Amino acid sequence: MIGSYVAVGDSFTEGVGDTGPDGAFVGWADRLAVLLADRRPEGDFTYTNLAVRGRLLDQIVAEQVPRVVGCAPDLVSFAAGGNDIIRPGTDPDEVAERFELAVAALTAAAGTVLVTTGFDTRGVPVLKHLRGKIATYNGHVRAVADRYGCPVLDLWSLRSVQDRRAWDADRLHLSPEGHTRVALRAGQALGLRVPADPDQPWPPLPPRGTLDVRRDDVHWAREYLVPWIGRRLRGESSGDHVTAKGTLSPDDIKTRIASVA
C-alpha cells in the first residue's frame, strides 16, 4: 500500500501536453497519483511532483533527487535522460552510467523506484533517426532496473501511443489521452488493477489524403519545429523560469482531470 509518491523528471512527468482548465499541466504522474490515492483511506496519501520541462539528467539529479531523499517516499517515479539522449553527440552508455548513480541514491531513500524507458520514435519526424540510440539507452535502463529491483514503466512496448491521437500538436509530448494510457501502464507496472486497458485499440480514423498530411507537416514545422531549433541555437530551455508543481492534492487533480477527460 503506497501512502506517499514523488514524481521526478522532465516535461514528460510534468505533464506537458495535458493542459488543465487553469493552463497548468496534469499528466500521467498526476493521474497515477489519483489511482494510488483511491486505494488509501481519505487524506492518507501525499503526492509531490518535482518534474520540470527541459531538464537534463544532471539537472534532475542536482535539483530533484536530494528532495526525494529528504521525503523518503513509499514510491518515486524516475524518468530522466531523454533530453540528454536526443542531443547530438551524446553517448547513451555514458548517460546510463549517470542514470544508474541516481537510481542507487533513490533506491536507498525510497521504498520503490519506478524507472521509465523511452518511447519508440519510429513515427516521430524529428526523432525517428534516433530510434537505435533510444533503444540502446532503454536496454541500459532495464539492466539497471534488474540490478536494483525496480519495476519498469516500459513505454517502448506501449503500442497504443503509436497512434497520432496519443500526441499533442507539437508531436513531442503526449495528449491527455496519451498521458492517461501511460498512467494506466504505470499502474500495471506497480501491480495495480487498473480501470482500463492502456493498449485498448483506438476508434478508426477516416483516411487522410497526401495534401492533408503535407499541410499538417508544414503547420507543425512552422509552429513547433522552428521555435524548438531556435531555442537550441540560443542555448535556451523551455523550462527556464519554470518551477515544479510541488505537493498536490489528489482531490484537486481529480477536478482538473474531469475538465480534460
Side-chain angles (χ1 to χ4, degrees), residues 22-232:
D22 55 357
F25 298 118
V26 184
W28 72 271
D30 291 11
R31 293 172 181 272
L32 174 61
V34 170
L35 289 176
L36 295 169
D38 284 345
R39 286 160 173 77
R40 302 285 295 186
E42 186 174 354
D44 190 24
F45 181 82
T46 59
Y47 167 59
T48 303
N49 191 319
L50 302 177
V52 177
R53 70 201 77 164
R55 291 299 192 260
L56 298 170
L57 175 58
D58 287 347
Q59 293 173 313
I60 292 170
V61 171
E63 299 169 5
Q64 301 176 32
V65 170
R67 295 180 64 181
V68 175
V69 173
C71 294
D74 294 334
L75 171 69
V76 57
S77 60
F78 183 50
N83 287 328
D84 298 71
I85 294 299
I86 66 175
R87 294 202 166 200
T90 53
D91 179 0
D93 300 332
E94 187 276 330
V95 176
E97 290 177 359
R98 292 186 279 121
F99 178 89
E100 181 164 3
L101 292 175
V103 169
L106 290 170
T107 54
T112 299
V113 178
L114 175 70
V115 299
T116 306
T117 72
F119 292 99
D120 185 348
T121 58
R122 74 179 98 172
V124 183
V126 179
L127 302 179
K128 61 184 178 181
H129 70 286
L130 297 174
R131 192 177 182 223
K133 191 176 178 183
I134 295 168
T136 298
Y137 185 64
N138 285 351
H140 284 299
V141 169
R142 294 187 185 96
V144 170
D146 286 344
R147 286 194 287 273
Y148 290 86
C150 302
V152 178
L153 172 52
D154 187 358
L155 301 175
W156 185 277
S157 67
L158 186 58
R159 297 184 303 276
S160 62
V161 296
Q162 295 301 319
D163 190 287
R164 62 187 175 89
R165 287 168 287 185
W167 296 88
D168 188 38
D170 67 2
R171 304 184 184 180
L172 293 173
H173 298 99
L174 294 171
S175 66
E177 178 65 21
H179 277 284
T180 298
R181 290 176 182 249
V182 169
L184 294 170
R185 174 56 64 89
Q188 289 179 334
L190 294 171
L192 304 180
R193 182 176 296 176
V194 297
D197 178 7
D199 255 331
Q200 180 179 348
W202 295 79
L205 276 174
R208 291 196 303 161
T210 303
L211 183 60
D212 292 328
V213 173
R214 188 171 301 164
R215 185 184 299 114
D216 287 348
D217 288 345
V218 170
H219 173 78
W220 168 77
R222 182 178 64 248
E223 295 296 323
Y224 301 104
L225 179 60
V226 171
W228 182 73
I229 293 173
R231 288 196 301 271
R232 286 286 181 270

